[in-house]
């Protein structure tokens, strides 16, 4: 048995062993450098196998809310693992799932129609798939079979499964899969453009879907709350559900617990993942109104929502998420993240008016700027976003040399570190972001 893994590895480094057996996400194995060998993490800091320390300024792909190795979350996971690991959630229930659902509904954004039901799944993509399926099937259950289209926004990103890709913008991530994807109505992120498109497509709409206030993967593009108000108004008047994808913006990232709260509106379907367990466990939730739920409740079994995953409502994940939510409230994580964002933004003040930098912006704990377009001249992207340029991995490597893990989205340099990030770490993040301007325009 010694042959498996360790025994045969000899003097090969972790990266060499990795290169022989792994396939990484959003990685070009033909040109991207070797992966970081990460041995441990605490707070905002990753410790590499060679002993170097690097600040995780992207919160483990926007998931790690409180900081790495948060003792309260570890204890919650251990306690729950000893009690109940898992049970099939079709036809069974357990305390962590019920308590988490109750807590989520308690803190969810409040609007005209309360969110009243929680459907658990595994990650952001599945949270979106569930919302799409609920919206689509809701109309079909009521005989409104014309309502099959989703109205979505340019630059939207909702995950990598086929339904989530369909409602996302194919540029830059999904062009290769275009023939697989279903048709949507896609409009610019603008209230007037939305209203015109909504009016034209309304009889065929199943739902409207948006990332509220910040489109993360599109390059931390930020919009004003009035768009959400327009969506809420139009959808309520027409009886079309709207879906808020708060997979990234949820749990305090934008300065309030949920981004929708800044517009004073609540959707009919709310997608949550990432910060839900603060990176400790894969878990997601789709919150729905009672009206949506009721359309599926009937004596006939075939009217049920035909969706589920093996690990739906995994008890350890639910227990961790509940503890994470308690921590968020005790520590006012949304305010903490906003302070962290403001500190990083202050550290970027020398870039204000610098022609090499465009659109310095912040929403809560998310801070971003674009490198000026002339830097994109060879990116091959009409939009200038240039996600697939070789420059982004080079800039990432340059930031790591300066002790900060950044992962530029094409020409967009951003940070959204965890809520435990210290002032000194914020200053180091800002310094690393500034240095990438110098690296790009030497
Ligand atoms: C807004 C949004 N929705 C959905 C997803 C997909 O989440 P996951 O990667 O957990 O599937 C992401 C991921 O970045 C996201 O930012």
């Amino acid at each position: 048995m010694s042959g498996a893994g360790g025994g045969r590895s000899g003097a090969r480094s972790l990266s060499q062993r990795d290169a022989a057996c792994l396939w990484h996400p959003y990685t070009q194995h033909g040109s991207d450098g070797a992966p970081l060998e990460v041995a441990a993490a605490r707070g905002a800091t990753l410790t590499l196998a060679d002993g170097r320390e690097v600040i995780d300024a992207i919160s483990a792909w926007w998931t790690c809310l409180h900081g790495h190795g948060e003792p309260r979350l570890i204890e919650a996971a251990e306690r729950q693992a000893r009690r109940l690991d898992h049970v099939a959630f079709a036809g069974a229930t357990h305390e962590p799932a019920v308590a988490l659902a109750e807590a989520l509904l308690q803190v969810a954004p409040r609007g005209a129609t309360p969110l009243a039901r929680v459907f658990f799944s595994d990650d952001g993509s599945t949270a979106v798939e569930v919302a799409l399926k609920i919206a689509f099937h809701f109309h079909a259950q009521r005989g409104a079979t014309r309502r099959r289209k989703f109205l979505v926004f340019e630059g939207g990103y909702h995950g990598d499964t086929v339904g989530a890709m369909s409602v996302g913008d194919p540029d830059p991530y999904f062009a290769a899969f275009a023939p697989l994807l279903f048709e949507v109505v896609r409009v610019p992120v603008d209230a007037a453009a939305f209203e015109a498109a909504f009016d034209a497509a309304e009889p065929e709409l199943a739902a409207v879907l948006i990332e509220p206030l910040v489109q993360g993967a599109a390059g931390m593009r930020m919009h004003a709350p009035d768009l959400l108000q327009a969506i809420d108004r139009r959808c309520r008047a027409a009886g079309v559900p709207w879906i808020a994808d708060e997979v990234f913006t949820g749990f305090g990232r934008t300065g309030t617990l949920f981004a929708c709260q800044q517009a004073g509106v609540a959707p009919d379907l709310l997608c949550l993942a990432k910060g839900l367990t603060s990176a400790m466990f894969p878990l997601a939730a789709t919150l729905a109104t009672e009206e949506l739920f009721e359309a599926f409740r009937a004596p006939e079994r075939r009217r049920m929502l035909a969706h589920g995953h093996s690990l739906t409502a995994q008890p350890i994940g639910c227990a961790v998420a509940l503890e994470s939510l308690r921590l968020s409230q005790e520590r006012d994580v949304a305010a903490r993240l906003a302070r962290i964002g403001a500190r990083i933004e202050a550290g970027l003040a020398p870039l204000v008016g610098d022609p090499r930098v465009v659109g310095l912006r912040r929403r809560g704990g998310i801070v971003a700027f674009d490198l000026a377009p002339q830097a994109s001249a060879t990116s091959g992207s009409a939009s200038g976003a240039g996600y697939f340029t070789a420059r982004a991995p080079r800039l990432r490597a340059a930031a790591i040399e300066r002790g900060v893990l950044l992962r530029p989205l094409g020409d967009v340099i951003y940070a959204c570190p965890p809520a435990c990030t210290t002032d000194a770490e914020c200053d180091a993040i800002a310094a690393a972001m500034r240095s990438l301007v110098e690296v790009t325009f030497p």
Side-chain angles (χ1 to χ4, degrees):
M1 204 21 235
S2 65
R8 268 208 308 256
S9 65
R12 287 189 306 157
S13 71
L14 191 61
S15 303
Q16 286 167 333
R17 285 164 55 207
D18 174 297
C21 64
L22 277 165
W23 192 338
H24 285 257
Y26 282 103
T27 298
Q28 176 42 266
H29 285 269
S31 60
D32 291 357
L36 277 189
E37 296 185 10
V38 182
R42 267 286 173 280
T45 303
L46 306 174
T47 304
L48 306 187
D50 62 10
R52 276 181 300 156
E53 294 199 327
V54 178
I55 300 167
D56 184 1
I58 57 167
S59 294
W61 244 342
W62 321 342
T63 60
C64 186
L65 188 63
H66 303 292
H68 293 279
E70 167 56 52
R72 294 256 305 261
L73 300 187
I74 294 171
E75 282 158 26
E78 284 178 351
R79 256 196 323 272
Q80 186 55 45
R82 275 192 289 271
R83 195 171 298 144
L84 169 66
D85 51 0
H86 190 43
V87 58
F89 204 62
T93 193
H94 47 74
E95 176 65 25
V98 175
L100 177 59
E102 289 169 347
L104 287 173
L105 295 173
Q106 195 79 43
V107 299
R110 284 179 206 282
T113 319
L115 292 161
R117 297 279 166 174
V118 178
F119 192 102
F120 287 114
S121 61
D122 300 348
D123 51 47
S125 305
T126 54
V128 170
E129 295 285 347
V130 169
L132 298 177
K133 286 175 73 171
I134 291 175
F136 178 85
H137 201 188
F138 164 74
H139 297 297
Q141 302 272 45
R142 298 167 7 138
T145 47
R146 273 188 78 200
R147 292 200 176 275
R148 302 164 64 124
K149 286 208 178 131
F150 292 92
L151 189 154
V152 300
F153 290 87
E154 289 175 2
Y157 176 84
H158 303 283
D160 287 350
T161 50
V162 175
M165 283 198 296
S166 299
V167 288
D169 195 325
D171 179 28
Y173 302 107
F174 307 134
F177 304 104
L180 274 184
L181 308 181
F182 58 73
E183 201 189 319
V184 297
V185 179
R186 186 172 289 108
V187 300
V189 183
D190 168 80
F194 159 73
E195 300 209 25
F198 185 91
D199 289 345
E202 192 276 314
E204 290 184 333
L205 289 183
V208 173
L209 166 66
I210 188 164
E211 295 160 86
L213 299 190
V214 184
Q215 292 182 308
M220 301 300 158
R221 294 192 205 163
M222 301 179 186
H223 56 263
D226 64 347
L227 175 57
L228 302 176
Q229 287 155 356
I231 292 171
D232 190 62
R233 201 169 46 245
R234 283 298 168 114
C235 286
R236 299 238 166 267
V240 173
W242 71 278
I243 309 168
D245 176 355
E246 294 230 26
V247 166
F248 171 43
T249 54
F251 300 104
R253 284 280 171 211
T254 67
T256 45
L257 197 56
F258 299 102
C260 286
Q261 289 164 332
Q262 292 179 45
V265 295
D268 301 279
L269 288 153
L270 176 68
C271 304
L272 303 173
K274 293 197 185 275
L276 178 60
T277 64
S278 189
M280 197 60 89
F281 202 89
L283 183 74
T286 304
L287 277 55
T289 61
E290 195 68 11
E291 185 190 3
L292 291 169
F293 176 76
E294 277 301 327
F296 293 78
R297 177 151 54 187
E300 308 87 52
R301 296 200 76 236
R302 68 175 66 248
R303 284 179 70 91
M304 69 172 72
L305 177 64
H307 193 98
H309 298 277
S310 313
L311 291 178
T312 296
Q314 211 282 349
I316 306 170
C318 290
V320 168
L322 185 61
E323 190 65 13
S324 173
L325 193 54
R326 284 193 192 117
L327 276 180
S328 294
Q329 289 170 313
E330 283 170 29
R331 296 176 180 172
D332 198 352
V333 154
R336 272 193 190 210
L337 288 169
R339 270 200 303 280
I340 285 165
R343 175 95 188 187
I344 296 172
E345 187 183 30
L348 297 178
L351 297 180
V352 174
D354 187 324
R356 300 171 299 177
V357 164
V358 182
L360 182 54
R361 56 199 179 273
R362 174 173 80 86
R363 173 90 56 188
I366 307 162
V367 189
F369 61 81
D370 292 39
L371 296 166
Q374 59 266 37
S376 313
T378 56
S379 72
S381 162
S383 69
Y387 178 80
F388 292 109
T389 60
R391 185 172 35 248
R394 279 204 302 271
L395 292 178
R396 177 179 176 273
I400 291 167
E401 274 172 33
R402 290 157 178 80
V404 178
L405 178 60
L406 296 172
R407 194 170 189 279
L409 289 158
D411 294 329
V412 179
I413 313 295
Y414 76 92
C416 60
C420 64
T421 308
T422 62
D423 284 354
E425 287 166 336
C426 288
D427 297 345
I429 292 169
M433 292 173 80
R434 289 198 313 267
S435 77
L436 296 192
V437 180
E438 304 303 328
V439 170
T440 309
F441 303 90

